[in-house]
Amino acid sequence: AYDVLVVGGGPAGAAAAVYAARKGIRVGVAAERMGGQVNDTMSIENYISVLETDGPKFAAALEAQVRHYEVDVMNLQRAEKLIPAEEPGGLVQVQLAHGGVLKARSVILSTGARWRNVNVPGEQEYKNKGVAYCPHCDGPLFKGKRVSVIGGGNSGVEAAIDLAGVVEHVTLIEFADQLKADAVLVSKLKSLPNVEIHVNAQTTEITGDGSKVTGLKYKDRATGEEHTVPLAGVFVQIGLVPNTEFLKGTVELSRFGEIVVDAKGHTNVAGVFAAGDCTTVPYKQIVIAAGEGAKAALSAFDHLIRQPVA
Ligand code: FAD
């Protein structure tokens, strides 16, 4: 059995594995895809001390640092079920999709999240070529350009306000007949001179020239009329879905499906910790996930040294 089993190999999981391994205990990492979301990122310019890097490079560096220690790296392994320990201090079990079971005295869940896609033609093709999901990350790439934000909930409206200060012009597209964001955000948005809002607007296509985004097409749901907006970028802001479906019924989740953690990364299950985008901790960013992963590892270690000797 492992002392610490990390489930997920993104920035949170990698940081947790490194911090745990440096305590000289038995550590394993099981991940569907080592590196996590970072693999899908073009350029990263906001990880402190690294002026600029790209996603694949950053992901490779994460894995290399984990492998520098005596960590059992189990890549391409999807966890399907978590079985809490039967008695205090007992072993927690993690069932893998291929049938195996891993046992550990403590588990750190760091399975991350995924952005909900609009699923229109052009979205996949132009990902990282104008189609973006993170205004904090990619906003500055569109300085002086016209962009659109798809989604008028809190995250879409926040993104539009944020981007309006960075880019030339923002067109916000909302499917429903009104913006669903908090009133204070909506009135802030409406006060901005370089923002245009379309409600009742169904995005039908993200257009491009083969190498980058050139615009977006939407249908006015009231009139049926088709419109084309010329743009350099499209920010899709229709929700971030935590990869926690397999934990339903065992670990406490928020109404958004995020694992509920306290300030030390404890979940409601003894010996089970969580970190990164899969948790209730706000602001889904690499630097934050990494910090939370380190914290969860220290909390797991703290938990282990308090267990009676077996
Ligand atoms: P993730 O990176 O999502 O990693 C989750 C890990 O868990 C992966 O290894 C995954 O395979 C694994 N996993 C999931 N489910 C299971 C399961 N059931 N069993 C086993 N393993 C599982 N942030 C920035 O700070 N700067 C940026 O420039 C930036 N750009 C971004 C660009 C894009 C396109 C995207 C999508 C995100 C970007 N982000 C950026 C956000 C950043 O990538 C995330 O905040 C960060 O990766 C979260 O780390 P994490 O370890 O919590 O989760």
Side-chain angles (χ1 to χ4, degrees):
Y2 296 106
D3 291 312
V4 174
L5 173 64
V6 182
V7 182
V18 167
Y19 266 72
R22 288 172 59 84
K23 296 296 185 189
I25 56 182
R26 280 160 300 174
V27 180
V29 180
E32 212 173 338
R33 183 170 64 141
M34 282 301 290
Q37 289 170 71
V38 172
N39 286 298
D40 306 323
T41 306
M42 260 270 269
S43 93
I44 300 169
E45 302 178 355
N46 58 3
Y47 192 76
I48 288 314
S49 86
V50 180
L51 189 61
E52 206 213 323
T53 183
D54 65 46
K57 234 190 248 168
F58 191 89
L62 285 180
E63 185 167 348
Q65 193 176 11
V66 171
R67 289 189 187 273
H68 177 75
Y69 295 93
E70 266 181 49
V71 174
D72 245 350
V73 177
M74 295 161 275
N75 198 5
L76 309 177
Q77 296 294 340
R78 186 160 57 88
E80 259 188 358
K81 196 174 175 190
L82 178 101
I83 305 166
E86 275 169 19
E87 70 281 323
L91 296 177
V92 181
Q93 299 182 49
V94 173
Q95 259 177 30
L96 300 175
H98 75 59
V101 175
L102 301 172
K103 295 181 182 171
R105 297 172 65 211
S106 69
V107 168
I108 297 173
L109 301 166
S110 53
T111 48
R114 57 191 189 271
W115 295 95
R116 191 171 275 138
N117 293 341
V118 277
N119 292 321
V120 295
E123 182 179 29
Q124 294 302 329
E125 195 181 342
Y126 294 109
K127 240 178 211 179
N128 285 328
K129 296 172 184 166
V131 176
Y133 297 83
C134 175
H136 315 300
C137 314
D138 297 340
L141 306 177
F142 297 94
K143 192 170 174 210
K145 297 185 176 158
R146 300 176 79 87
V147 304
S148 118
V149 171
I150 300 177
N154 276 340
S155 49
V157 173
E158 281 166 14
I161 295 170
D162 174 357
L163 290 165
V166 180
V167 306
E168 184 189 297
H169 185 270
V170 181
T171 305
L172 185 128
I173 309 273
E174 164 59 45
F175 181 84
D177 60 6
Q178 57 180 351
L179 302 181
K180 286 165 285 179
D182 299 341
V184 51
L185 289 174
V186 173
S187 66
K188 168 82 193 187
L189 182 73
K190 288 184 171 163
S191 75
L192 299 174
N194 59 340
V195 174
E196 201 176 306
I197 301 167
H198 298 292
V199 294
N200 242 333
Q202 179 181 2
T203 306
T204 53
E205 187 182 345
I206 295 168
T207 58
D209 62 7
S211 63
K212 60 180 191 320
V213 165
T214 55
L216 167 153
K217 288 186 181 165
Y218 74 90
K219 188 171 91 182
D220 184 322
R221 295 173 62 233
T223 63
E225 232 173 288
E226 291 266 3
H227 297 270
T228 301
V229 189
L231 299 163
V234 176
F235 285 81
V236 181
Q237 294 289 305
I238 54 174
L240 185 68
V241 191
N243 300 318
T244 56
E245 290 86 351
F246 73 108
L247 299 168
K248 260 179 206 153
T250 35
V251 177
E252 186 189 357
L253 304 177
S254 74
R255 67 192 176 94
F256 303 111
E258 298 166 325
I259 302 168
V260 177
V261 289
D262 70 9
K264 287 186 162 176
H266 294 112
T267 70
N268 67 318
V269 177
V272 178
F273 303 81
D277 281 15
C278 63
T279 71
T280 46
V281 171
Y283 309 119
K284 312 308 191 200
Q285 294 285 285
I286 300 167
V287 68
I288 293 171
E292 292 291 312
K295 199 188 352 177
L298 296 177
S299 294
F301 184 68
D302 196 53
H303 165 79
L304 290 171
I305 60 174
R306 284 173 165 70
Q307 299 304 308
V309 185

